[in-house]
Amino acid sequence: MFTIFFEHRLLTGLIAAFLLLSVVCQMIAGLVYHKLISETDNMPATENKQLKQCKQKYASYYKLNGKMVNTEVFVERFVQKICFAKIQITRFVHASGQLMMLSILLAGIAICLSLAAGNTLFQIMPYYLVSILGLYLYFSISGIVDIHERRKILKTNLTDYLENYFVPRLESERESAMEEGVKKREKYALEFMEDKKGEEKARTGDFEEQAQPVVKHYQDELENLLEEFFA
């Protein structure tokens, strides 16, 4: 019965390849999300490149705007841009469904060709079995991987960390930076005032030094006049 696969080797090979690729795409997406979810449990010390970029971008937006207006939107955009081998994970999910449909389509084409060649229903039954088992495998893997639930968990974990842990730390750093800036400005102001006082004192001392000879001259003349008057 299964010898019919050898009559359409190319179609049979494509059916198997598309089915396998469909499952692989599902598993890749699921493993990437699983790894990110496990990394979010230790976000402060994570070495994951994408999560580190997430924190850096969030900190940049927060410092630029003073605060993050909508963390959920930021997280949603980040999750949509998650990549594996520079390909977005959402593309793997879509490709998985498309590859599964291509596998079913090719199985249908093989069935039509077999019927046209005069094969009986019993002889083409393997293609029906492959189609049914392929769909069962696809939906089983989809249920096990559960991409949508993993995306939801990842978004919840990221939002919780950014809003409840990362924002207070950024706010504390901003306040510390502001206090340090105020102290520096006060220090510079005091130094500036001291420099001004020093300059004023220096100018006053120069004036007194210049005025002393003139005062002495007038004192000498006054003493001479008094001596002549009493002589």
Side-chain angles (χ1 to χ4, degrees), residues 1-217:
M1 180 175 67
F2 292 97
T3 56
I4 194 171
F5 288 141
F6 297 99
E7 295 180 8
H8 306 287
R9 293 182 181 179
L10 178 60
L11 288 174
T12 302
L14 290 175
I15 291 169
F18 288 149
L19 179 59
L20 179 62
L21 288 174
S22 176
V23 173
V24 169
C25 288
Q26 286 271 0
M27 294 181 67
I28 288 174
L31 289 173
V32 170
Y33 283 134
H34 176 74
K35 183 178 179 181
L36 290 174
I37 289 170
S38 63
E39 288 287 338
T40 54
D41 293 334
N42 190 28
M43 280 290 287
T46 182
E47 293 297 328
N48 186 276
K49 184 178 179 180
Q50 297 188 82
L51 293 179
K52 289 173 70 175
Q53 289 178 350
C54 175
K55 293 197 297 183
Q56 291 172 359
K57 288 182 179 179
Y58 190 91
S60 299
Y61 292 152
Y62 187 91
K63 292 175 182 178
L64 181 63
N65 300 327
K67 63 179 181 178
M68 181 55 61
V69 178
N70 197 328
T71 304
E72 292 183 359
V73 173
F74 175 86
V75 171
E76 178 65 31
R77 289 179 178 175
F78 167 75
V79 172
Q80 289 179 355
K81 294 178 181 178
I82 292 174
C83 297
F84 176 80
K86 298 183 179 181
I87 302 174
Q88 291 184 2
I89 295 299
T90 52
R91 296 185 182 275
F92 281 98
V93 178
H94 296 319
S96 176
Q98 295 298 320
L99 290 169
M100 187 66 235
M101 294 305 298
L102 281 173
S103 176
I104 300 299
L105 176 62
L106 291 176
I109 293 174
I111 290 171
C112 292
L113 292 175
S114 298
L115 290 173
N119 292 313
T120 63
L121 182 61
F122 178 77
Q123 290 175 321
I124 64 173
M125 189 63 68
Y127 285 113
Y128 286 107
L129 292 176
V130 168
S131 300
I132 294 171
L133 291 175
L135 287 172
Y136 175 77
L137 180 63
Y138 173 79
F139 287 112
S140 296
I141 297 296
S142 298
I144 294 171
V145 174
D146 201 356
I147 299 297
H148 296 292
E149 184 64 22
R150 292 186 186 222
R151 278 173 57 94
K152 183 179 178 181
I153 294 172
L154 178 60
K155 287 162 62 177
T156 301
N157 291 355
L158 286 173
T159 303
D160 175 64
Y161 170 76
L162 293 175
E163 288 186 344
N164 299 325
Y165 297 94
F166 199 51
V167 167
R169 196 182 81 181
L170 292 175
E171 188 65 25
S172 177
E173 291 177 356
R174 192 164 73 107
E175 291 176 358
S176 299
M178 290 177 64
E179 290 177 359
E180 186 177 352
V182 170
K183 290 180 181 179
K184 285 183 178 180
R185 286 195 293 270
E186 291 177 351
K187 181 180 178 181
Y188 292 150
L190 289 173
E191 291 177 353
F192 178 76
M193 293 298 294
E194 289 177 357
D195 291 341
K196 284 292 184 182
K197 288 180 180 178
E199 291 177 1
E200 290 291 335
K201 186 176 180 181
R203 283 200 296 268
T204 304
D206 292 342
F207 177 76
E208 290 178 353
E209 290 177 359
Q210 293 175 2
Q212 281 179 359
V214 178
V215 172
K216 186 176 181 182
H217 173 71

